[in-house]
Amino acid sequence: MKVSRVLPGPLDFLDSEERQRSVGPMLNLRRVHQFVVLAETLNFRRAADRLHMAQPPLSVSMQKLEAELGVRLFDRGGTGGVTLTAGGQAALLEARRLLFHNAQLHSVAAATLAGTAGALRVGFVGSTIHGALQRVVRLFRAEFPGVDLVLKEGTSRHIMEQVDSDGLDIGLVRTPLMASAQAQLTPLLSENFVAALPNGNPLARRSELRLEELAQEPFVFYARADAAGLHSMAILACQLAGFLPRIAQEATQVQTILALVESGLGVALIPAIAQHTPNHRIAYRRIVNMPEAARIGLALALRADSPSAAAQHFAEVAVRSIGTA
């Protein structure tokens, strides 16, 4: 994921008439730059040498600049020497500011193109807040402090739609996905479900469970419409264990499901990563016979066509920080 395009430097375009940038009805940055150099050297010959041009065109250029501004900038002396007029001294301060901001504009544009500045819009599913999101954000901010992260929580379906429509630059989503999308997916981790039970549930006294032992329990389950992947995998796991779950309540986000489990509404199958956030009212238990076919994952969704350099940097950091966790 390399970026090969390079923006011109702050004054590179000044060598071409076609690429001059007007800063007023007649004023252009090339003449402003020439004016500053002449004001610093106070000598046409030395200024022309520094500008790599002949002296007569420089003299003509300054005459045009004075005509455009309606102000005499220099008092001409002998042997090419000049002194700044009061108008020239005032104009010099603003000319330097103008060139500085022009250089800053090029610098910011180049940094954004290189992925070291600008804004990066990142979508994330709720289950990533249990450690994964924190790791990648912390590392990314350390390596690319000039990039402003705009974090937006959503469902995997919504995040994929936003990446496809350019509403987001990149997304952390749950897999499997149950709808087609154009975005490119990069797997970050694969994990099993674990059981989440209210601490008062008798099964919470066990150190580990078999999935069929949950068959008679009410389930807090994933909403089919908004969390189709997790819903389908949890249903599949239960079916492979020989039962269909008795769904007492549905929710979309993992943290909402955990809140409902904590309230005593039922048990749930949650991504293993979510158990790393301690809650003394919930017991997390490994399921010893969780079917391999029901494994779930976390993946990175990146625009398939010309992702930004910052998005590529974020993807590389995510693979390093989440994929190896």
Side-chain angles (χ1 to χ4, degrees):
M1 292 188 281
K2 301 291 187 181
V3 177
S4 58
R5 183 183 170 197
V6 178
L7 282 180
L11 294 175
D12 288 351
F13 67 93
L14 297 178
D15 294 330
S16 171
E17 289 288 345
E18 294 180 355
R19 292 154 64 190
Q20 290 176 16
R21 299 297 188 262
S22 292
V23 294
M26 295 290 291
L27 198 62
N28 67 65
L29 290 177
R30 183 178 63 176
R31 288 198 184 115
V32 172
H33 176 54
Q34 292 169 349
F35 162 65
V36 170
V37 172
L38 181 57
E40 291 173 347
T41 60
L42 296 178
N43 184 276
F44 272 102
R45 181 182 56 77
R46 289 196 297 269
D49 288 343
R50 185 186 295 184
L51 291 164
H52 305 291
M53 63 186 299
Q55 183 174 330
L58 176 59
S59 179
V60 171
S61 181
M62 291 302 95
Q63 291 170 9
K64 289 182 178 179
L65 180 61
E66 289 176 323
E68 291 162 4
L69 294 175
V71 174
R72 187 163 52 85
L73 300 172
F74 298 101
D75 284 326
R76 274 70 171 173
T79 65
V82 295
T83 58
L84 280 169
T85 64
Q89 291 174 351
L92 179 59
L93 178 62
E94 296 303 322
R96 284 173 170 157
R97 286 176 179 168
L98 179 59
L99 293 178
F100 170 78
H101 289 298
N102 176 62
Q104 287 293 100
L105 174 63
H106 279 274
S107 177
V108 169
T112 300
L113 184 62
T116 57
L120 182 67
R121 302 162 299 170
V122 181
F124 66 95
V125 291
S127 59
T128 60
I129 67 171
H130 301 284
L133 181 66
Q134 292 92 321
R135 285 197 299 274
V136 65
V137 168
R138 186 164 52 246
L139 183 58
F140 184 82
R141 287 177 62 85
E143 295 187 13
F144 300 96
V147 178
D148 293 324
L149 288 177
V150 181
L151 302 174
K152 299 181 180 181
E153 184 179 5
T155 64
S156 294
R157 177 178 62 83
H158 179 69
I159 291 170
M160 294 299 292
E161 291 172 353
Q162 288 290 295
V163 171
D164 281 347
S165 64
D166 199 29
L168 290 170
D169 300 303
I170 200 165
L172 291 165
V173 298
R174 274 285 165 194
T175 57
L177 294 166
M178 309 307 289
S180 62
Q182 299 174 4
Q184 173 187 338
L185 285 177
T186 301
L188 294 175
L189 63 84
S190 176
E191 59 184 338
N192 278 321
F193 285 116
V194 298
L197 310 94
N199 254 338
N201 190 304
L203 291 174
R205 303 190 191 104
R206 306 271 299 278
S207 61
E208 55 187 25
L209 299 170
R210 294 186 63 81
L211 186 53
E212 57 269 23
E213 292 180 278
L214 300 175
Q216 302 306 313
E217 300 291 330
F219 272 80
V220 181
F221 225 74
Y222 302 97
R224 185 195 301 268
D226 294 318
L230 290 176
H231 177 96
S232 297
M233 289 297 100
I235 287 286
L236 175 63
C238 295
Q239 286 181 333
L240 293 175
F243 71 97
L244 284 175
R246 181 162 57 90
I247 300 175
Q249 183 67 47
E250 289 189 339
T252 299
Q253 300 288 4
V254 172
Q255 58 266 37
T256 306
I257 286 179
L258 288 173
L260 296 175
V261 170
E262 181 182 344
S263 300
L265 293 180
V267 303
L269 297 177
I270 64 165
I273 194 174
Q275 68 183 314
H276 299 311
T277 301
N279 187 325
H280 67 278
R281 296 187 180 91
I282 296 177
Y284 302 107
R285 296 294 179 262
R286 186 175 77 91
I287 298 173
V288 296
N289 64 332
M290 179 59 66
E292 187 69 20
R295 286 182 71 84
I296 54 176
L298 192 66
L300 203 69
L302 189 63
R303 290 181 57 187
D305 58 326
S306 303
S308 70
Q312 295 178 52
H313 293 324
F314 190 92
E316 293 163 356
V317 169
V319 168
R320 281 190 280 123
S321 60
I322 298 178
T324 59

